[in-house]
Amino acid sequence: MNSVGKTDIRKLTLDQLTEFLLAQGEKKFRAHQVYEWLWKRSARGFEAMTNLSLATRELLGQHFEIRPVTVQKAQQSTDGTIKSAFRLWDGNIVEGVLIPKDDRMTACVSSQVGCSLTCKFCATGYMERKRNLDAAEIYDQVVLINQQAMDAFGLPITNVVYMGMGEPLLNYQHVVESVTRLTDQKYGLGMAARRLTISTAGIAKMIRKLADDDVKANLALSLHAARDEKRNEIMPINETNSQAVITEAIQHYRRLTGRDVTYEYIALDRFNDSLEDAADLVKFVRKVPGKVNIIEYNPIAAALFDSSEDDRVLLFHKHLADRGIQTNIRRSRGKDIDAACGQLAVKEEMG
């Protein structure tokens, strides 16, 4: 738990930190040194800041604290996937996943404790949303997953996807700030923006804001059904963010950013995997071009859905590909440790 009266130093901007240190009689460059320790070197305590004098470190410790995320538990799948339960400073738990592949190491991170969207096929949707994560808590997940990648595979992470617990665009400010921390070449981790992907269930006004703010990250839309009546059944957010509204938002996004959107489509057996469903998806994608990822579903105890049969998925894929839509089939990773898409949920919360 945090100490009474102390501020989390990572909530300060560089200007705020500079102002504090100048008021304490420190030189301006000290703030830049501290900021580099916080966001480039990922310091978890002031004692690590070895190019600062002991007096300066003690000064920081008197007024501030660092609230690092820790790994409470990590599990490794037979396919190499590593799922971690991350403990936050206030005792809350979120989950993150390292997904290793031949050509990339992907960190899947959470943006909220729980979720408020209640998507019917997703384990996290059955949890209560307790709070948003701040930028530092999202950043720490990336740092810790990167360390796991180095320890287990000798390779750093190459990609970050905001596809863990929570709806990133309902935590807009902190998610965008975390993107800055991850991509900042001077003070952050220096990742390439094209390696970051924010996934949304379809918060239209925030998709527009991403474009207006020129946020440097890719966008993925969790679509899962290309007809309003069907999408309403599994994603209640669609009732207030209809596909027509989402389409307009994505068109705005693509017009301003020049970037394509990726459409995520979980194949649910006999629900959204027919050729008629594929035809609906073709119509949707033609309005705003982008690639489609057909994702293998991972059944959960709370939901009644099953994963589509392979032959139905292949026919669905062929229907899209034959009509010129770039389509990939994504096989699940980490199913044996409940680390796959739609399976993230802190078990205590699930009762």
Side-chain angles (χ1 to χ4, degrees):
M1 301 296 285
N2 65 319
S3 305
V4 176
K6 287 189 180 180
T7 299
D8 179 356
I9 195 170
R10 292 192 293 182
K11 291 188 181 296
L12 271 60
T13 65
L14 179 57
D15 287 345
Q16 290 170 327
L17 182 58
T18 302
E19 182 180 346
F20 168 80
L21 288 171
L22 288 175
Q24 301 297 320
E26 294 280 352
K27 301 291 187 182
K28 184 177 181 178
F29 74 89
R30 287 292 181 213
H32 294 263
Q33 288 180 313
V34 174
Y35 224 61
E36 183 177 296
W37 275 109
L38 293 175
W39 299 112
K40 195 176 189 72
R41 304 194 190 188
S42 311
R44 299 172 69 82
F46 298 118
E47 68 281 355
M49 301 179 182
T50 50
N51 61 349
L52 275 59
S53 69
L54 179 59
T56 300
R57 282 178 274 166
E58 289 177 344
L59 172 68
L60 293 172
Q62 288 166 10
H63 291 85
F64 303 106
E65 65 180 351
I66 299 173
R67 300 172 181 171
V69 173
T70 57
V71 178
Q72 175 168 288
K73 182 181 180 181
Q75 299 169 269
Q76 186 159 9
S77 167
T78 53
D79 63 23
T81 300
I82 299 175
K83 181 178 77 168
S84 298
F86 294 117
R87 178 171 288 276
L88 312 180
W89 67 272
D90 59 0
N92 277 309
I93 304 291
V94 296
E95 293 185 336
V97 183
L98 168 65
I99 306 166
K101 289 188 177 179
D102 293 339
D103 60 341
R104 69 183 66 181
M105 290 278 159
T106 300
C108 176
V109 298
S110 293
S111 57
Q112 295 180 310
V113 181
C115 187
S116 59
L117 293 191
T118 66
C119 296
K120 303 307 181 188
F121 51 83
C122 178
T124 313
Y126 290 86
M127 296 174 62
E128 174 191 1
R129 190 200 72 82
K130 293 188 174 180
R131 70 171 177 86
N132 289 335
L133 271 63
D134 64 32
E137 291 170 326
I138 299 170
Y139 165 94
D140 275 357
Q141 291 176 72
V142 176
V143 171
L144 291 169
I145 293 173
N146 183 66
Q147 188 59 56
Q148 291 174 335
M150 293 299 297
D151 291 345
F153 303 100
L155 296 169
I157 62 169
T158 57
N159 297 68
V160 176
V161 294
Y162 291 74
M163 295 182 183
M165 297 166 63
E167 164 55 57
L169 295 191
L170 291 181
N171 184 16
Y172 184 88
Q173 177 186 344
H174 293 128
V175 164
V176 170
E177 184 184 339
S178 72
V179 169
T180 300
R181 300 298 168 217
L182 297 177
T183 57
D184 188 331
Q185 296 294 321
K186 185 173 183 181
Y187 293 115
L189 296 186
M191 294 191 69
R194 68 181 185 279
R195 298 290 190 170
L196 275 59
T197 300
I198 297 171
S199 177
T200 178
I203 316 297
K205 68 177 183 180
M206 305 314 290
I207 292 173
R208 287 178 170 274
K209 186 167 174 57
L210 279 174
D212 294 340
D213 293 345
D214 194 23
V215 175
K216 301 294 193 222
N218 298 314
L219 179 65
L221 174 66
S222 294
L223 188 61
H224 311 316
R227 188 183 292 267
D228 277 327
E229 297 81 6
K230 190 165 284 194
R231 198 167 189 261
N232 288 344
E233 287 186 49
I234 56 173
M235 301 180 73
I237 187 65
N238 195 71
E239 295 174 9
T240 52
N241 290 260
S242 70
Q243 296 194 25
V245 172
I246 293 172
T247 296
E248 290 179 359
I250 295 172
Q251 287 171 336
H252 176 79
Y253 175 89
R254 195 166 184 266
R255 188 164 55 247
L256 264 63
T257 67
R259 292 191 291 271
D260 286 344
V261 174
T262 298
Y263 299 104
E264 308 286 350
Y265 196 97
I266 289 178
L268 303 171
D269 187 48
R270 314 287 165 170
F271 179 79
N272 67 351
D273 61 351
S274 70
L275 290 181
E276 182 181 356
D277 294 311
D280 288 338
L281 183 54
V282 169
K283 292 176 187 175
F284 185 93
V285 175
R286 281 184 173 160
K287 295 174 186 174
V288 192
K291 71 176 181 179
V292 174
N293 286 333
I294 303 172
I295 302 170
E296 180 184 359
Y297 180 60
N298 306 289
I300 58 172
L304 299 176
F305 299 105
D306 287 320
S307 55
S308 292
E309 298 166 2
D310 285 349
D311 60 344
R312 291 177 70 85
V313 172
L314 291 172
L315 284 172
F316 194 100
H317 174 277
K318 184 177 186 302
H319 187 91
L320 270 64
D322 285 350
R323 285 151 184 81
I325 295 174
Q326 183 183 346
T327 309
N328 301 304
I329 297 174
R330 297 280 189 232
R331 298 298 181 188
S332 290
R333 305 290 299 275
K335 286 192 288 187
D336 56 321
I337 56 171
D338 291 339
C341 182
Q343 290 187 314
L344 297 188
V346 180
K347 294 304 181 184
E348 294 87 337
E349 291 292 330
M350 295 296 289

